[in-house]
């Protein structure tokens, strides 16, 4: 049986940990050549080593999304390494759990927290789209219904809100709007653009910071009686990036166990 991303090259931002690392492993297992990216070279090289140990093909490229020149360098290095880019997973974000990141309720907000979240989650996301789109357009053959794709990771918690997260949610909510807008503009050139609206998922870092009380609170709200795992988001990314989704663009796929938390 052919692998679902055979011959594809995929950049996954924020794949030095969490959902991104799981997505990198899943994509490599389906035949993609994967660019693992983030600021931490150590964690990135560990993800690459684990993919290679399983027989996959991956390369780490360091990138700080807060710096436009670093984003340009990520795209250039990816093309130098593998010659093309077919899929972008725009996953990296300033979360409360990523290394060095801080978030805060409105009363504790300071300029560092506010500017840091805007820089990564809004400015960085937009620069990433700008600099990756030309090569994604090159990879597509719309006249043959062959597409390239972007999947951006949003947060389903933005819909109903949650205490203490106004800055995080305010800088994550625009993802869905960006995706819908880009989908209409670039569909004609064969680039599909979709969003995954993720609910709470048990990443290593989430597990470290989540209290038992909070875990139970979320579980009580879920339609499904279990927690999402990073692999659940990785599988949704795989579907949206594969040819099986060639007619899907401008969509937001909610993966949250049935609750908008
Ligand atoms: N886990 C959840 O429950 C959940 C729920 C809803 C949505 N999400 C979304 O899912 C995505 C991944 O989250 P996660 O839970 O896997 O978080 P995570 O484990 O904290 O991972 C965040 C990733 O983003 C990278 N990153 C952060 N700031 C960066 C920057 N300035 N430049 C480049 N890379 C940067 C980090 O890499 P470095 O530290 O190496 O830079 C890390 O690989 C995020 O978009 C988040 O909003 C997660």
């Amino acid at each position: 049986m052919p692998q679902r991303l055979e011959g594809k090259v995929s950049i996954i931002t924020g794949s030095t940990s969490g959902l991104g690392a799981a997505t990198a492993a899943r994509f490599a297992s389906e035949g993609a050549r994967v660019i693992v990216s983030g600021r931490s070279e150590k964690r990135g090289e560990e993800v690459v080593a684990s993919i290679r140990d399983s027989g996959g093909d991956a390369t780490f490229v360091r990138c700080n999304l807060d710096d436009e020149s670093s984003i340009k360098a990520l795209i250039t290095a990816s093309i130098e390494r593998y010659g093309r880019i077919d899929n972008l997973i725009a996953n990296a974000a300033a979360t409360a759990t990523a290394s060095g990141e801080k978030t805060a309720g409105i009363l504790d907000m300071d300029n560092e927290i506010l500017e840091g979240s805007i820089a990564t989650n809004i400015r960085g996301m937009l620069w990433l789209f700008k600099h990756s789109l030309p090569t994604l357009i090159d990879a597509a053959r719309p006249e043959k219904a062959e597409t390239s794709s972007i999947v951006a990771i949003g947060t389903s918690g933005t819909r109903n809100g949650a205490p203490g997260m106004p800055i995080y949610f305010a800088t994550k909510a625009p993802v869905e709007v960006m995706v819908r807008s880009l989908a209409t503009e670039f569909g004609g050139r064969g680039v599909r653009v979709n969003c995954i609206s993720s609910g709470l998922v048990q990443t290593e870092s989430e597990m470290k910071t989540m209290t038992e009380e909070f875990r139970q609170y979320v579980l009580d709200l879920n339609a499904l009686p279990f927690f999402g795992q990073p692999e659940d988001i990785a599988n949704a990314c795989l579907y949206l990036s594969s040819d099986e989704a060639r007619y899907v663009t401008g969509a937001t796929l909610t993966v949250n166990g049935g609750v908008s938390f």
Side-chain angles (χ1 to χ4, degrees):
M1 202 171 127
Q3 290 179 298
R4 292 161 75 187
L5 296 178
E6 192 70 55
K8 306 283 189 199
V9 176
S10 308
I11 295 181
I12 302 168
T13 67
S15 44
T16 57
S17 66
L19 308 185
T23 304
R26 187 74 183 99
F27 275 37
S29 77
E30 288 289 345
R33 289 165 285 165
V34 174
I35 298 289
V36 172
S37 187
R39 293 160 303 176
S40 166
E41 184 163 2
K42 181 177 176 294
R43 282 190 278 116
E45 290 296 358
E46 283 167 8
V47 173
V48 166
S50 150
I51 289 173
R52 289 185 183 157
D53 286 349
S54 306
D57 187 341
T59 302
F60 174 72
V61 179
R62 190 176 182 284
C63 175
N64 182 354
L65 283 180
D66 301 357
D67 173 4
E68 188 205 346
S69 64
S70 183
I71 296 172
K72 268 189 186 166
L74 166 67
I75 304 303
T76 304
S78 303
I79 295 170
E80 275 170 14
R81 176 70 181 89
Y82 292 123
R84 57 188 288 140
I85 301 167
D86 300 280
N87 312 116
L88 168 68
I89 306 296
N91 165 75
T95 65
T97 50
S99 58
E101 264 74 52
K102 287 189 284 181
T103 193
I106 199 75
L107 298 179
D108 296 321
M109 182 172 79
D110 63 25
N111 210 39
E112 186 195 346
I113 292 170
L114 179 60
E115 290 301 327
S117 301
I118 291 172
T120 313
N121 299 352
I122 299 181
R123 278 203 289 271
M125 195 68 112
L126 289 167
W127 285 122
L128 182 64
F129 293 149
K130 175 186 162 83
H131 291 303
S132 61
L133 271 160
T135 181
L136 289 165
I137 291 167
D138 284 349
R141 296 281 171 271
E143 68 285 0
K144 295 182 175 171
E146 291 172 10
T147 59
S148 56
S149 101
I150 295 174
V151 176
I153 307 300
T155 304
S156 71
T158 54
R159 294 179 199 161
N160 289 345
M165 311 202 94
I167 304 160
Y168 175 63
F169 284 168
T171 57
K172 288 294 292 185
V175 170
E176 292 188 31
V177 179
M178 294 178 198
V179 159
R180 280 197 292 276
S181 176
L182 294 178
T184 60
E185 185 173 350
F186 292 97
R189 283 174 265 182
V191 185
R192 296 181 299 104
V193 191
N194 292 294
C195 174
I196 291 174
S197 184
S198 170
L200 191 69
V201 169
Q202 283 186 315
T203 57
E204 211 174 292
S205 43
E206 282 288 353
M207 292 298 284
K208 265 190 221 151
T209 51
M210 213 191 303
T211 62
E212 186 48 45
E213 196 184 11
F214 188 68
R215 230 192 307 271
Q216 195 52 53
Y217 170 72
V218 175
L219 214 46
D220 288 345
L221 289 173
N222 260 15
L224 293 169
F226 53 87
F227 265 110
Q229 300 301 319
E231 292 69 27
D232 296 311
I233 305 301
N235 285 329
C237 287
L238 174 60
Y239 164 66
L240 287 174
S241 302
S242 75
D243 293 339
E244 291 156 33
R246 70 174 195 178
Y247 203 49
V248 182
T249 194
T252 292
L253 175 58
T254 301
V255 183
N256 72 350
V259 64
S260 285
F261 173 76

